[in-house]
């Protein structure tokens, strides 16, 4: 079962609406739905809330470090509460999925995502769950940094929000450890990427 849910992002109002903060957005939605307030915890290097559930406490965490040091917060809280890596779920932005898609997986590489890279390094293993929130790709490797630190247009944001809502709908299954069922429902509901606009004939 999941005992720690981590949302990845960069702290500060200047980053709040950037694609790279999609993990924060999802954890904020959980907190809002459950009537919880994330509060700064210096010992855990981030903002924390406790969700009391039928299967025990589940911690919500938004690291207060920048993205490339996310593992500091995750490792501190996981060590304190003795949470094994396979009981951790990390929600993050995913370049390899278009807006409107969301996928769940256990372990794997970091695909250049600095938050995932640091978490794996700090807890000593990549064997944690990931909720991959599609934000799309700019199409040019050199444009990635500016893209993830940019704001999605309204049309993309609506698709991202729809995908995150489906992630929220699967939260009860995740908290019960029903990962295969959650995966099936999430992946089956993924919308196809938006078709590129056709050029008008000249």
């Amino acid at each position: 079962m999941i005992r720690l849910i981590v949302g990845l992002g960069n702290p500060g109002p200047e980053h709040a609406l950037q694609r790279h903060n999609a993990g924060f957005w999802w954890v904020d939605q959980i907190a809002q739905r459950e009537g919880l307030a994330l509060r700064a915890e210096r010992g855990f290097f981030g903002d924390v809330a406790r969700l009391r559930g039928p299967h025990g406490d589940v911690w919500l965490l938004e690291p207060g470090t920048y993205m490339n040091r996310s593992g500091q917060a995750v490792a501190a809280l996981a060590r304190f509460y003795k949470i094994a890596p396979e009981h951790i779920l990390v929600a993050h932005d995913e370049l390899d999925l278009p807006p409107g898609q969301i996928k769940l997986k256990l372990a794997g590489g970091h695909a250049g995502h600095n938050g995932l890279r640091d978490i794996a390094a700090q807890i000593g293993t990549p064997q944690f769950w990931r909720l991959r929130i599609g934000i799309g790709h700019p199409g040019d490797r050199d444009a990635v940094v500016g893209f993830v630190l940019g704001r999605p247009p309204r049309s993309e944001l609506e698709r991202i929000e729809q995908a995150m809502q489906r992630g929220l709908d699967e939260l009860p299954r995740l908290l019960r450890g029903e990962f295969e069922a959650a995966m099936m429902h999430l992946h089956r509901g993924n919308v196809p990427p938006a078709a590129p606009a056709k050029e008008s004939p000249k």
Side-chain angles (χ1 to χ4, degrees):
M1 295 179 290
I2 295 300
R3 293 190 56 212
L4 170 58
I5 299 174
V6 183
L8 295 188
N10 286 312
E14 68 275 23
H15 299 293
L17 301 179
Q18 296 173 351
R19 292 179 178 91
H20 219 19
N21 276 40
F24 275 11
W25 300 346
W26 194 66
V27 169
D28 284 343
Q29 288 182 356
I30 297 174
Q32 183 177 8
R33 190 177 75 172
E34 300 295 333
L36 301 173
L38 289 134
R39 303 187 186 281
E41 294 282 353
R42 291 182 62 185
F44 298 139
F45 308 99
D47 294 344
V48 178
R50 178 167 58 178
L51 172 60
R52 298 182 185 274
H55 303 287
D57 291 341
V58 179
W59 297 94
L60 306 181
L61 171 64
E62 293 179 355
T65 56
Y66 282 93
M67 184 69 80
N68 61 357
R69 294 179 56 214
S70 299
Q72 183 180 19
V74 176
L77 194 149
R79 279 197 299 263
F80 187 85
Y81 290 108
K82 298 179 172 58
I83 300 173
E86 60 269 23
H87 297 157
I88 298 172
L89 173 66
V90 178
H92 65 91
D93 57 304
E94 177 58 72
L95 285 163
D96 291 335
L97 295 177
Q101 293 196 8
I102 186 168
K103 290 190 176 182
L104 176 70
K105 76 175 207 176
L106 174 64
H110 53 73
H113 195 293
N114 289 329
L116 297 177
R117 178 191 284 117
D118 194 58
I119 291 170
Q122 292 290 334
I123 68 175
T125 178
Q127 292 291 125
F128 53 90
W129 287 92
R130 298 104 184 274
L131 187 71
R132 305 161 64 210
I133 302 167
I135 61 167
H137 195 286
D140 182 348
R141 183 177 176 181
D142 294 335
V144 163
V145 173
F147 180 79
V148 299
L149 297 181
R151 299 182 180 187
R154 184 73 234 173
S155 60
E156 288 184 11
L157 183 59
E158 288 175 355
R159 292 164 70 89
I160 292 169
E161 288 173 343
Q162 290 166 4
M164 290 194 298
Q165 181 58 53
R166 292 193 294 105
L168 279 181
D169 293 342
E170 293 306 312
L171 186 60
R173 287 190 178 93
L174 294 172
L175 297 184
R176 293 194 299 266
E178 298 173 6
F179 300 114
E180 288 188 13
M183 259 190 254
M184 181 184 70
H185 284 85
L186 278 175
H187 300 179
R188 188 173 60 193
N190 277 329
V191 296
K198 293 182 179 179
E199 292 185 10
S200 58
K202 295 180 180 178

